[in-house]
Amino acid sequence: MTRTLLRGAQVITLAAGRPDWEPAAILIEDDLILDVGTNLPDHDAEVIDVTGRIIHPGLVNAHLHTWQTGLRSVGADWTLAEYLTNIHGTLAHAYRPEDMRIAALVGALGQLDGGTTTIGDWCHNNPTPAHTDAAIDGLIDAGIRTVFLHGAPYTKLAADSTRELDRILDGPGRQHRLLTIGMAIRGPQLSPASRAIADLRAATERGIIASMHQTGGTMKPAWDRVHEAGLFGPSVNLVHGAGLTDDWVRTLIDLGVTFTSTPENELGQGHSDPIALRLLRHGAAPSLGTDTDSVVSGDMRVAARMTLAFQRGARHNTHRAESGIFSPVNAATSRHALEWATFHGAQALGLASRIGRLEPGMQADLVIIDPRTVALWPAHDPIATALAAHPAAIEAVLVAGEWRKRAGALTHLGLPQSLHTLQESGHRILEELTSPALFARARRHVVAQVAGHRVRTELAITPEMAPHPGHA
């Protein structure tokens, strides 16, 4: 049994009935929080003085693709069509299992460095079991809490993958305490109704999360078929939500479906406006993700600030149109934004009973910020400071009570070599985009045509009446 007592910080618990922040101590025993309060006895614990620091729950990145870590920034100026063509149509085919492992490892370490302690890793580039196992191995090595959402490459036909899913559930899913297995499915927009229903039933039978993209386009009849089968509920996570009618948004909220927005990617690549505003109008809240490092920042604090600014800007615009002046108040606060990036992310991944708040009985996943930097000091409002923090200000990160970052540095051994290996992996994979070989050039041309057709037929909004739930 190991006990640690953190004393002297301003603590943001996000727990119901507690202040936005408070001077408090946190007592940790092994992987659990035992107590949060003032004047806590040390209980034979290692006492760590964190005076002047800010502590908040670990961030939850509810949607990202760590397998693209080695391709960071290559698609910074790509549209969605270019992304589908280049990443899924071309580069994904060049991945070896070892590429998956190093990308997952460094991607997870990058999240930990910024204060993210849990990720929903949407893995849809695993053509073989070896690719899947390598990705999982990298995540476990990093020491991050992960919901590994197993999917299939976009270039393969939608098919039954439950045998592989069960292999993972019975293997690493049972063996590693920080790993939870879920499904990354195509859902009713990108697969036939029969496939969407079978996937969601498989997730329900196994008691796991099923996450799916909804990236725009007129809604297909398969949505109604899934609804009629009674398969929408709290174990279903919807990413992006572009193209959903208002009736569907309301219905899905009522059924307990969770939503994840990745605002920087959604706005930059042309998905649509982030769905967060529509959720908030209905009294619901989004979880947040960063999506893909190949296109946008992997910083969850950027996602939280962008979502908050987008919501406020829309409210001001509405009020200006009605009254000629901006809104006199902001309905969404900095605390809301931090909750979207923590507790609501935990909800989306089915972990809200374990993480997302700092209170007795919860897992000891937390972040310690040193605000005494030129970019953050003075820290008059700890929550606003937490949202504005950057990796250099993250002094320490704990996952299940274990130090993943301490004294401003990641604790993982061999980081320089891992970065070198990742760079070599990325360089080799990117050669697929520039290869002068005739077959490679012909392949790129065909892929571009197919991706363009998909965008036009599957992701475009048409003037036809979209299906909607009959009772909405």
Side-chain angles (χ1 to χ4, degrees):
M1 180 182 70
T2 302
R3 284 184 170 177
T4 303
L5 183 64
L6 305 173
R7 276 183 177 165
Q10 292 287 343
V11 178
I12 304 166
T13 68
L14 298 181
R18 299 196 76 132
D20 285 350
W21 63 83
E22 56 190 294
I26 302 176
L27 179 63
I28 299 168
E29 182 177 287
D30 295 330
D31 62 338
L32 294 176
I33 296 173
L34 282 187
D35 203 358
V36 179
T38 57
N39 302 316
L40 296 183
D42 59 37
H43 296 286
D44 299 320
E46 176 190 9
V47 179
I48 298 177
D49 183 7
V50 285
T51 300
R53 298 356 179 247
I54 297 167
I55 298 179
H56 67 74
L59 302 177
V60 179
N61 191 334
H63 184 80
L64 79 163
H65 310 290
T66 64
W67 65 269
Q68 296 182 27
T69 304
L71 305 178
R72 278 176 172 158
S73 77
V74 299
D77 296 321
W78 288 346
T79 64
L80 183 57
E82 291 170 317
Y83 165 79
L84 293 172
T85 299
N86 295 327
I87 295 292
H88 291 282
T90 303
L91 299 179
H93 300 277
Y95 272 73
R96 303 165 181 167
E98 56 266 32
D99 299 314
M100 297 293 289
R101 185 191 186 282
I102 193 62
L105 170 62
V106 178
L109 291 176
Q111 292 295 310
L112 288 167
D113 194 42
T116 294
T117 55
T118 299
I119 59 174
D121 192 4
W122 227 89
C123 189
H124 56 344
N125 188 31
N126 38 11
T128 72
H131 286 75
T132 298
D133 292 345
I136 291 174
D137 187 55
L139 297 167
I140 292 169
D141 188 10
I144 198 166
R145 191 181 300 279
T146 303
V147 177
F148 182 80
L149 298 160
H150 177 266
Y154 277 163
T155 51
K156 287 190 173 184
L157 294 175
D160 183 11
S161 61
T162 52
R163 181 178 297 180
E164 175 68 356
L165 176 68
D166 287 338
R167 183 188 71 82
I168 305 168
L169 283 167
D170 291 338
R174 294 185 185 276
Q175 298 164 5
H176 301 282
R177 65 191 179 98
L178 296 180
L179 181 68
T180 303
I181 304 300
M183 294 179 70
I185 68 173
R186 299 185 186 180
Q189 193 71 6
L190 300 176
S191 61
S194 59
R195 178 75 270 143
I197 289 172
D199 287 340
L200 288 168
R201 280 182 175 156
T204 300
E205 291 166 357
R206 291 159 178 77
I208 60 178
I209 294 293
S211 179
M212 61 187 185
H213 288 108
Q214 167 60 24
T215 318
T218 299
M219 297 177 69
K220 297 181 178 179
W223 281 88
D224 282 329
R225 304 292 82 79
V226 171
H227 183 37
E228 291 162 3
L231 292 169
F232 287 125
S235 64
V236 176
N237 171 245
L238 190 59
V239 181
H240 306 313
L244 290 176
T245 66
D246 285 338
D247 281 348
W248 269 107
V249 171
R250 177 72 265 172
T251 295
L252 293 173
I253 289 172
D254 290 344
L255 291 170
V257 171
T258 63
F259 296 80
T260 301
S261 175
T262 63
E264 189 172 11
N265 172 270
E266 290 161 0
L267 289 168
Q269 283 202 313
H271 291 261
S272 185
D273 286 344
I275 198 171
L277 180 61
R278 299 172 68 193
L279 297 177
L280 294 167
R281 286 172 179 164
H282 288 291
S287 60
L288 301 177
T290 59
D291 211 334
T292 166
D293 281 16
S294 63
V295 176
V296 297
S297 164
D299 191 338
M300 274 294 293
R301 297 171 203 273
V302 171
R305 296 198 306 268
M306 285 189 70
T307 304
L308 183 62
F310 179 77
Q311 190 278 341
R312 288 176 171 178
R315 181 180 177 90
H316 286 310
N317 286 341
T318 298
H319 200 273
R320 183 175 286 108
E322 294 172 349
S323 66
I325 194 171
F326 52 82
S327 174
V329 296
N330 281 320
T333 67
S334 296
R335 173 170 175 143
H336 289 131
L338 190 57
E339 288 175 336
W340 303 335
T342 52
F343 176 72
H344 290 291
Q347 279 188 321
L349 297 178
L351 299 177
S353 64
R354 302 170 63 192
I355 62 169
R357 290 173 174 163
L358 301 181
E359 52 190 348
M362 301 289 273
Q363 287 280 292
D365 291 11
L366 55 86
V367 178
I368 303 174
I369 297 172
D370 187 348
R372 299 169 300 179
T373 69
V374 68
L376 296 178
W377 193 256
H380 297 297
D381 183 320
I383 291 181
T385 302
L387 288 176
H390 46 85
I394 308 301
E395 181 176 295
V397 176
L398 285 88
V399 179
E402 297 187 17
W403 300 96
R404 300 304 186 200
K405 185 175 184 178
R406 195 166 190 180
L410 291 168
T411 60
H412 190 273
L413 300 177
L415 183 58
Q417 180 58 47
S418 295
L419 294 176
H420 176 71
T421 302
L422 180 72
Q423 184 180 39
E424 289 187 329
S425 168
H427 282 330
R428 180 185 58 77
I429 292 168
L430 281 171
E431 289 176 357
E432 292 292 314
L433 281 183
T434 57
S435 173
L438 179 62
F439 176 78
R441 287 188 286 116
R443 179 190 179 90
R444 290 196 296 268
H445 175 74
V446 171
V447 165
Q449 296 300 310
V450 171
H453 176 74
R454 180 186 171 197
V455 169
R456 290 189 298 273
T457 59
E458 294 185 350
L459 306 182
I461 299 293
T462 71
E464 302 170 2
M465 179 65 70
H468 62 85
H471 70 275

